[in-house]
Amino acid sequence: MDDIEKFDKFLSFYDKYYQTVSEISMPCPIHDKDCPSIKHKECVSKSKEPLVSSDFMMYSFDDICRDTEIIDICNLPSTCDGLYLDKKRKVLYFIEYKGVKIDRNSKRSELHDILYNMNKDSECYDKYYERLQWVYNSYGDELAFKLRLKPFETLDLALPNVYKDYCNKNSISDEDKLDLNEFLSSIKKVYIVVAVCDKRNPTADRVGSYRFILRKPFERLRDLGLFDMVEIMDHN
């Protein structure tokens, strides 16, 4: 059994989480297992439809992590939503679904605009400007941060622990185990963020948009060899 077959067998162990893209890309998907403190948390998404309507199948990696005993269900790593192995082409896909407009201004950029346009003669300016400026300088944008964090925690934290748990549950001997680091170094890896893109917007790459903020971090993922391809794709 070669490494591709070993990895495919590993994924097949979680066949109950082999789901359609429509299921995986639903806003606030329902998980069989979740932390009690957030299990009944209300979904704030306005959309009630999947980001992508498709019967194409892949593994729900979020659910796989929730079914891993050595990962704390209340302290889950930040991981990609979907995992798909193309055995024929030897490509491993990591897919993240975000039902947001990737070309819009980030929240941090919006705060910058508010600060810039505040009326300096107003009482509001005298009372709050310096405090807001301090907040602005101290924090980044949560969405942009998570999209940068997910590929690292998926590859370096979640996937190794999921595989370790799989080996423990199936009593796989050391000689039969897959050298996961070697395998991931040898196979082509693709990280794709699927979001809502405004391709007709002439200012889509403007400074402050999520696409602009993520451009250089995503380029580093390729330059440093962590992924062979990193793309932001429209949900259509």
Side-chain angles (χ1 to χ4, degrees), residues 196-221:
V196 180
C197 300
D198 189 1
K199 295 180 180 179
R200 297 179 181 177
N201 186 348
T203 60
D205 287 330
R206 64 184 179 271
V207 176
S209 71
Y210 284 109
R211 184 188 293 277
F212 185 89
I213 291 172
L214 293 169
R215 179 186 294 163
K216 286 189 175 181
F218 281 4
E219 285 178 356
R220 287 197 294 272
L221 292 177

Side-chain angles (χ1 to χ4, degrees), residues 43-62:
C43 181
V44 297
S45 174
K46 295 179 181 179
S47 175
K48 304 301 178 185
E49 301 296 327
L51 180 63
V52 180
S53 295
S54 172
D55 291 331
F56 188 85
M57 305 286 286
M58 62 177 60
Y59 290 93
S60 173
F61 195 58
D62 280 342

Side-chain angles (χ1 to χ4, degrees), residues 20-33:
T20 66
V21 166
S22 293
E23 292 175 286
I24 297 174
S25 69
M26 277 291 293
C28 306
I30 298 174
H31 303 284
D32 291 336
K33 297 183 179 180

Side-chain angles (χ1 to χ4, degrees), residues 34-38 65-66 68 70-79 153 157-158 161:
D34 222 331
C35 179
S37 62
I38 63 172
C65 289
R66 283 173 166 81
T68 300
I70 58 178
I71 294 179
D72 184 354
I73 193 70
C74 292
N75 189 24
L76 291 167
S78 183
T79 57
E153 294 214 350
L157 183 60
N161 278 292

